[in-house]
Amino acid sequence: MQSADKSGMMKIVSFFVWGKVAQLINFLYLCAMERKIRLYGDYFKKFKQTLTEKEQDKIDYCLLLLKTQDRVPSKFISYIKEGLYELRVEYNSNIYRVFFIFDDGNIVVLFNGFQKRHKKLRLTK
């Protein structure tokens, strides 16, 4: 091989290796990603204490998804308006909602939760 061919081949190999390194760094970042979950007041804590152990476990599972996953399925999260979201949890034919916001993209602030008893929830200004 001529030196020009070797140089070109080295650039290709170098590009490939650095591309794989970048993929590895992104993968490690996503695996290590963990949002912090904070409570606003004790509203959520009081709500959770009214639930059975199994209901609490299901909510904890959904919070774990929110805490560790970059993208959470829309089955669990719904955008309400103006930065307000709801975490949707279903267990034993009961539906639970927890309102939250993202703060700086990584911190999730939980406000309150409730058991949904009606088909439609109306939000008014």
Side-chain angles (χ1 to χ4, degrees):
M1 261 190 194
Q2 295 179 358
S3 66
D5 290 339
K6 286 182 184 178
S7 174
M9 182 64 82
M10 290 300 290
K11 287 180 182 177
I12 291 171
V13 169
S14 177
F15 178 76
F16 178 75
V17 169
W18 281 111
K20 290 295 179 185
V21 168
Q23 286 178 346
L24 178 62
I25 290 170
N26 286 339
F27 175 75
L28 292 174
Y29 169 75
L30 290 175
C31 289
M33 187 189 104
E34 188 167 308
R35 293 181 181 99
K36 293 179 181 163
I37 295 183
R38 308 272 169 112
L39 303 179
Y40 180 80
D42 60 350
Y43 307 105
F44 176 74
K45 190 175 180 180
K46 286 180 180 178
F47 158 72
K48 197 171 167 190
Q49 289 172 347
T50 66
L51 304 176
T52 67
E53 186 178 340
K54 295 283 188 182
E55 292 165 338
Q56 289 181 21
D57 290 345
K58 182 68 179 213
I59 288 179
D60 287 342
Y61 168 75
C62 293
L63 288 174
L64 181 65
L65 287 177
L66 184 60
K67 187 176 181 180
T68 60
Q69 300 301 308
D70 186 39
R71 296 178 187 257
V72 180
S74 60
K75 172 184 175 180
F76 297 108
I77 291 183
S78 177
Y79 176 76
I80 304 292
K81 65 180 181 178
E82 299 176 15
L84 181 65
Y85 294 84
E86 69 175 356
L87 181 68
R88 298 187 276 172
V89 181
E90 189 172 339
Y91 179 76
N92 240 8
S93 299
N94 293 316
I95 300 170
Y96 303 94
R97 302 286 193 246
V98 177
F99 291 114
F100 70 93
I101 62 169
F102 289 101
D103 187 17
D104 277 339
N106 283 329
I107 298 174
V108 178
V109 181
L110 301 179
F111 292 111
N112 201 355
F114 64 95
Q115 181 177 354
K116 186 175 174 188
R117 299 183 191 275
H118 305 289
K119 292 278 185 195
K120 272 272 195 203
L121 177 66
R122 294 187 199 146
L123 290 178
T124 59
K125 282 189 172 184

